Amino acid sequence: VLLSEYAYNKSLGYFEGDLDRFVIDFTRGKVNGFGPWHRNVSSWLDSPIAGTENLLVVRFEDLRQSTEELCGRLTEFLGVRGDRQAIRQAVADNSLAKMQEKESESPQLPPGKGRFVRSGSVQGWRGKLNESQLQTLEHYAGDTLLRMGYPLSTVLQKESPSCAVGL
């Protein structure tokens, strides 16, 4: 979320600073009207409907891993009868390549400002955020990251020291 929001805000000229400054502003809720990411997410996890059938939390990684299956769960959650073939077609029509093709035909950002639909990568932060940025993010949002099932960078470094450099 942080990297996507950074790219989007930079492209539109809403943010002038570097990634270090953005991480600080993002974790302190100074980037958009939703407040800090961790407070926003915690508001769902702590809401009266949390743990009931009235809240379905979807992580990007899960959506990328099992797109058709999760879309089926989403249609059930919404009370919509989900036809497997229609879901399969919708997923195919909205693949990363198809979305980038659609964006080329109808750009979301002004000319020369990059793409709104970027790489769609999972865990792209590993190659983008440095140790200081991760420490800031985890200082503010670490508890929420853990609640959402994301390991902190210190845990990842212990599991795989070779990826510590990329963090």
Side-chain angles (χ1 to χ4, degrees):
V1 171
L2 184 146
L3 292 172
S4 291
E5 187 129 4
Y6 176 68
Y8 181 73
N9 281 287
K10 286 289 279 189
S11 294
L12 293 176
Y14 297 156
F15 185 81
E16 298 294 327
D18 62 9
L19 186 55
D20 286 332
R21 179 80 244 162
F22 189 84
V23 169
I24 292 166
D25 288 354
F26 180 84
T27 56
R28 293 182 181 167
K30 297 179 178 181
V31 172
N32 61 46
F34 299 110
W37 174 86
H38 54 282
R39 194 169 303 141
N40 187 352
V41 171
S42 292
S43 74
W44 319 330
L45 300 176
D46 297 332
S47 74
I49 63 170
T52 73
E53 70 228 17
N54 294 319
L55 178 68
L56 178 63
V57 177
V58 177
R59 297 178 341 148
F60 178 72
E61 295 82 355
D62 300 333
L63 186 61
R64 291 284 297 170
Q65 183 177 9
S66 305
T67 309
E68 284 183 35
E69 178 186 328
L70 193 49
C71 286
R73 285 184 50 214
L74 287 166
T75 58
E76 289 172 21
F77 175 77
L78 295 171
V80 176
R81 187 176 177 147
D83 173 280
R84 290 285 174 212
Q85 182 56 34
I87 291 171
R88 189 171 295 116
Q89 188 62 50
V91 169
D93 289 344
N94 291 284
S95 68
L96 185 61
K98 289 276 190 177
M99 289 179 65
Q100 288 175 335
E101 184 181 308
K102 291 175 192 179
E103 184 180 25
S104 293
E105 294 169 7
S106 179
Q108 301 298 304
L109 298 175
K113 295 291 185 176
R115 301 186 69 96
F116 180 75
V117 179
R118 298 178 322 125
S119 70
S121 66
V122 172
Q123 296 185 8
W125 59 269
R126 287 182 184 233
K128 304 274 188 199
L129 298 177
N130 64 38
E131 190 170 330
S132 174
Q133 294 162 344
L134 284 170
Q135 286 175 358
T136 299
L137 181 60
E138 291 176 1
H139 171 76
Y140 287 95
D143 290 344
T144 305
L145 288 165
L146 289 170
R147 288 178 75 188
M148 289 296 297
Y150 297 111
L152 300 184
S153 63
T154 53
V155 173
L156 292 172
Q157 288 174 6
K158 289 176 188 171
E159 290 175 358
S160 178
S162 63
C163 68
V165 174
L167 295 174

